[in-house]
Amino acid sequence: MDLKHIRNFCIIAHVDHGKTTLSDRLLEHTATVTQRELKAQHLDSMDLERERGITIKCHPVSMIYRDKEGEKYFLNLIDTPGHVDFSYEVSRSLAACEGALLLIDASQGVEAQTVANAQLAFNQNLKVIPVINKIDLPSANLEMVTRQLEDILAIPAEEAILASGKSGIGIDEIFEAVAHRLPSPRLADYPATRALVFDCNFDTYKGVICYVRVFSGTIRVGQHMLMMSDKVKMEVKEVGFFSPAPVKTHELGPGRVGYVVTNIKSVADIKIGDTITGADKPAAEMLPGYKEVRPMVFSGIYPIDTSDYEKLKASLSRLRLNDASLIYQSESSVALGFGFRCGFLGLLHMEIVQERIRREYDVDIILTYPSVIYRVVQAGQGSIEIDNPVHMPDPSHIDEILEPTIRAIIHTPVDSVGDVLSLIMDKRGICEHTETLDETRLMLRCVLPLNEILVDFYDRLKSITHGYGSMDYELAEYQPSDLVKLDILVNSEPVDAFSSIVHRSKAEHKGRALCAKLAEIIPQQLFKIPVQAAVGGKVVARETISALRKDVTAKCYGGDITRKRKLLEKQKEGKKRMKQVGRVSIPQEAFVQVLRAQ
């Protein structure tokens, strides 16, 4: 098809602003999917996406549209996630497009992730078409949204299209805008073949399937290709496009979005964001858009049944292909055995990976407490990076510890701003700037330690703003902080699985909570077991698990009291000796319960 009639675009928005519903209407309008086959959230292929009502993976689909003059256009749409944890998926999708539909909820207005995704699109020089969605809702406030569009995003209000993905309002206007306001494919005149790998999948029979956007040249079956980042050679076995099911074709020309099946069977040989070029006439430079992903949260993943280690290893390698932002390496723990240290983009990403391993690969796993990468400056030895508390050097050798911070943009209703500021202060954050968006909403710009937002920050923000608060963040610089390693000792022996790095002011509170939980779960022994939380050599919290008492006086029927006392004293001596030599074996269930409770 002529390049002038090809359009590549994606839909970007804040989470739950109606991207997937709108894509359903686009498929229905172009008859890409028949009415009989169409189902709600049609492009969301995972059960997890349907259950949670969120998009986790980007989904490409090709459609044919005829405009009002009868001109035929080939439209390639990529539906993208909206949650902040999946912004890497969004950035790769944007690199494969020339334009984007920016969806804004007519009742919610411009939110934090709307600003972040719009900025990503502007940075890649994409043409952005604003679409005000859900205009048929009784709570829709078009005047507020158009004013925010101009004030916050600097997009003229007259460019906005009024639409409703649910009822089908404005769908024709959206198609006309895509056909006539978006540019035709760029970089098509480059002399060599170049295609961007924006996603991947693994098929048991076909092996690795690359989702590609061809920028220049043509990819044909039987052609020999080259991955530019690591020079891996491969032969093309099959090519096709998505409609939305895969459809085989003989070739993919410039401007097209589709898939490529090669003879590569190893998941480690493909890097998402890489450039594919011809092996006989390779391109001189890669396409823009490839960058190494930077995980922000680290956690250990261990199989509950140690015999499942190899199964877990295979499942992580396959999941890594389908999710480029997942990073892992082997590690072992005295308490939990062999497992993997994994890096995630955020807590939702960690939760999704955990759930996918359980569902798709049938491996029962446990995750250790999440942590971030700290920089430890050692006396006269430079600095080292630590993502696991177990590797923390001796406190006497540490000059200072630096922790990563984030720059967050928080949108909140005016009546909740006091509670939000209290939450920021409680998490050791600083609010640098406040800006009024309209009479009902404020935007706060603040700096927070990344470690403090890991567990419950987003949930508490949503709770105190009654669901109307939203947040987006980016990684900022490292800052020195008074951090300490909190050790948990059971019968005077440290348990590495419960170690964590915390701020000194919060060490005692967290230590008390952990000790109390362990005292409930660890089974009683024949001697008292102290459960302690310690910072360095100083114990900051303690609980004692009482001993099981064997009734040694049961055989005494009558007689002098001294006989009973003698037996009790003998028992007391035995318990003292047992405490000195005895070892406490913590059952696997205790680790599972404590780590899940955290």
Side-chain angles (χ1 to χ4, degrees):
M1 182 175 276
D2 182 11
L3 276 175
K4 291 180 180 177
H5 292 88
I6 295 177
R7 297 289 183 270
N8 296 306
F9 69 103
C10 59
I11 304 177
I12 54 175
H14 187 81
V15 64
D16 203 30
H17 276 206
K19 296 179 298 299
T20 308
T21 307
L22 180 66
S23 64
D24 287 348
R25 297 290 79 74
L26 299 180
L27 291 175
E28 185 180 27
H29 194 80
T30 54
T32 305
V33 179
T34 63
Q35 193 68 42
R36 183 172 60 85
E37 295 172 323
L38 188 70
K39 55 189 176 186
Q41 294 176 257
H42 193 89
L43 293 181
D44 287 349
S45 54
M46 279 191 273
D47 291 339
L48 210 52
E49 291 178 311
R50 294 179 174 283
E51 285 171 21
R52 290 172 175 255
I54 58 173
T55 301
I56 296 167
K57 296 290 295 175
C58 54
H59 302 280
V61 61
S62 299
M63 302 174 286
I64 293 173
Y65 169 71
R66 290 188 183 275
D67 69 0
K68 292 175 180 176
E69 283 77 40
E71 289 281 336
K72 186 178 176 183
Y73 287 87
F74 200 86
L75 310 180
N76 296 309
L77 160 69
I78 302 174
D79 183 26
T80 59
H83 197 278
V84 62
D85 279 12
F86 303 112
S87 58
Y88 185 62
E89 292 271 335
V90 179
S91 68
R92 289 199 318 272
S93 303
L94 292 171
C97 298
E98 280 75 41
L101 297 179
L102 178 65
L103 253 64
I104 303 166
D105 190 314
S107 58
Q108 300 286 340
V110 173
E111 299 206 55
Q113 199 62 27
T114 315
V115 179
N117 285 338
Q119 202 60 51
L120 281 173
F122 293 144
N123 291 345
Q124 299 207 27
N125 299 316
L126 267 61
K127 171 64 179 174
V128 175
I129 299 173
V131 177
I132 300 175
N133 196 26
K134 305 184 184 181
I135 61 165
D136 52 345
L137 287 179
S139 56
N141 188 341
L142 296 179
E143 185 185 340
M144 174 197 75
V145 177
T146 51
R147 189 167 65 248
Q148 288 181 351
L149 196 62
E150 293 187 335
D151 294 347
I152 301 171
L153 299 176
I155 298 174
E158 58 269 16
E159 289 187 14
I161 298 170
L162 304 182
S164 169
K166 191 172 183 180
S167 56
I169 301 169
I171 300 300
D172 284 318
E173 288 83 352
I174 290 172
F175 274 119
E176 286 294 311
V178 168
H180 300 295
R181 282 160 62 177
L182 294 187
S184 53
R186 58 199 158 108
L187 306 176
D189 53 355
Y190 192 82
T193 300
R194 290 195 301 179
L196 178 75
V197 181
F198 65 85
D199 204 355
C200 268
N201 206 348
F202 184 84
D203 186 274
T204 310
Y205 304 103
K206 295 179 179 178
V208 179
I209 301 173
C210 303
Y211 294 10
V212 300
R213 153 72 199 276
V214 182
F215 278 85
S216 60
T218 304
I219 300 178
R220 298 182 179 87
V221 176
Q223 195 174 353
H224 290 273
M225 308 298 289
L226 184 74
M227 302 292 292
M228 290 191 70
S229 68
D230 48 15
K231 309 302 180 190
V232 172
K233 290 187 178 180
M234 57 194 179
E235 183 185 348
V236 178
K237 297 292 186 183
E238 183 186 321
V239 296
F241 59 91
F242 299 96
S243 186
V247 178
K248 280 188 192 180
T249 184
H250 296 296
E251 62 180 35
L252 283 177
R256 295 292 299 273
V257 173
Y259 67 90
V260 175
V261 179
T262 67
N263 59 344
I264 291 180
K265 299 298 179 186
S266 170
V267 295
D269 291 335
I270 299 287
K271 289 187 174 72
I272 294 181
D274 206 346
T275 301
I276 296 178
T277 188
D280 52 345
K281 190 186 173 186
E285 55 186 19
M286 293 176 65
L287 286 161
Y290 176 67
K291 62 175 183 178
E292 289 288 344
V293 65
R294 294 180 63 187
M296 299 177 77
V297 177
F298 286 83
S299 178
I301 293 184
Y302 294 85
I304 288 181
D305 184 351
T306 51
S307 62
D308 283 339
Y309 174 75
E310 289 299 328
K311 195 175 176 183
L312 176 60
K313 186 177 181 180
S315 64
L316 278 172
S317 65
R318 290 191 178 182
L319 201 57
R320 169 82 175 90
L321 174 73
N322 193 245
D323 184 356
S325 45
L326 172 65
I327 288 172
Y328 67 93
Q329 63 182 32
S330 298
E331 74 167 6
S332 62
S333 160
V334 175
L336 299 171
F338 289 99
F340 297 91
R341 192 77 182 164
C342 300
F344 308 94
L345 295 178
L347 279 187
L348 178 65
H349 184 217
M350 184 174 87
E351 200 179 322
I352 295 298
V353 168
Q354 178 183 358
E355 197 64 32
R356 288 186 70 183
I357 290 172
R358 285 185 177 138
R359 289 190 187 197
E360 297 174 24
Y361 304 102
D362 194 28
V363 182
D364 205 4
I365 57 170
I366 180 172
L367 273 76
T368 60
Y369 193 78
S371 66
V372 298
I373 298 179
Y374 298 96
R375 284 185 187 152
V376 180
V377 181
Q378 299 183 92
Q381 296 181 26
S383 64
I384 57 170
E385 291 195 338
I386 287 175
D387 60 28
N388 192 338
V390 176
H391 303 142
M392 179 72 85
D394 188 275
S396 61
H397 298 154
I398 297 173
D399 275 351
E400 66 174 351
I401 303 174
L402 292 89
E403 65 177 341
T405 60
I406 58 159
R407 293 196 176 278
I409 298 172
I410 298 174
H411 288 215
T412 173
V414 172
D415 55 1
S416 303
V417 70
D419 293 331
V420 173
L421 288 171
S422 297
L423 174 62
I424 292 168
M425 289 174 64
D426 184 46
K427 295 296 185 180
R428 300 191 287 120
I430 300 168
C431 185
E432 295 183 328
H433 180 68
T434 60
E435 188 178 325
T436 304
L437 301 179
D438 53 49
E439 60 274 7
T440 61
R441 291 171 69 82
L442 279 174
M443 181 168 74
L444 311 178
R445 295 183 185 273
C446 50
V447 177
L448 289 147
L450 176 59
N451 186 41
E452 292 288 345
I453 69 159
L454 284 185
V455 179
D456 62 347
F457 183 84
Y458 193 69
D459 291 340
R460 285 178 64 185
L461 175 68
K462 281 291 183 186
S463 176
I464 61 182
T465 59
H466 308 290
Y468 290 106
S470 63
M471 182 180 84
D472 179 63
Y473 61 86
E474 61 180 13
L475 203 60
E477 63 278 355
Y478 276 75
Q479 292 183 358
S481 186
D482 188 13
L483 299 170
V484 292
K485 180 187 175 187
L486 180 69
D487 284 313
I488 301 297
L489 294 83
V490 177
N491 199 29
S492 303
E493 290 188 13
V495 183
D496 60 353
F498 299 136
S499 296
S500 57
I501 298 171
V502 296
H503 194 266
R504 192 181 297 275
S505 63
K506 300 192 175 187
E508 184 180 338
H509 175 73
K510 185 177 177 184
R512 286 185 187 281
L514 264 174
C515 289
K517 187 71 181 173
L518 280 169
E520 290 175 18
I521 293 169
I522 295 175
Q524 289 178 300
Q525 308 287 326
L526 290 170
F527 54 93
K528 286 183 180 178
I529 305 171
V531 180
Q532 300 164 309
V535 173
K538 182 183 176 185
V539 175
V540 295
R542 172 180 171 133
E543 293 283 340
T544 303
I545 301 170
S546 57
L548 278 173
R549 184 165 179 259
K550 182 181 176 184
D551 190 3
V552 291
T553 61
K555 59 186 177 184
C556 294
Y557 297 100
D560 196 344
I561 187 66
T562 54
R563 288 186 61 202
K564 291 187 177 182
R565 194 170 290 147
K566 183 179 177 183
L567 288 168
L568 289 169
E569 286 296 325
K570 192 175 179 183
Q571 183 188 42
K572 188 176 177 182
E573 287 297 319
K575 284 183 182 287
K576 187 185 289 186
R577 190 164 58 252
M578 193 185 292
K579 185 176 180 181
Q580 291 172 350
V581 299
R583 294 178 63 86
V584 179
S585 177
I586 304 175
Q588 186 79 12
E589 298 76 39
F591 288 104
V592 174
Q593 287 186 50
V594 172
L595 291 170
R596 280 179 180 163
Q598 291 190 73

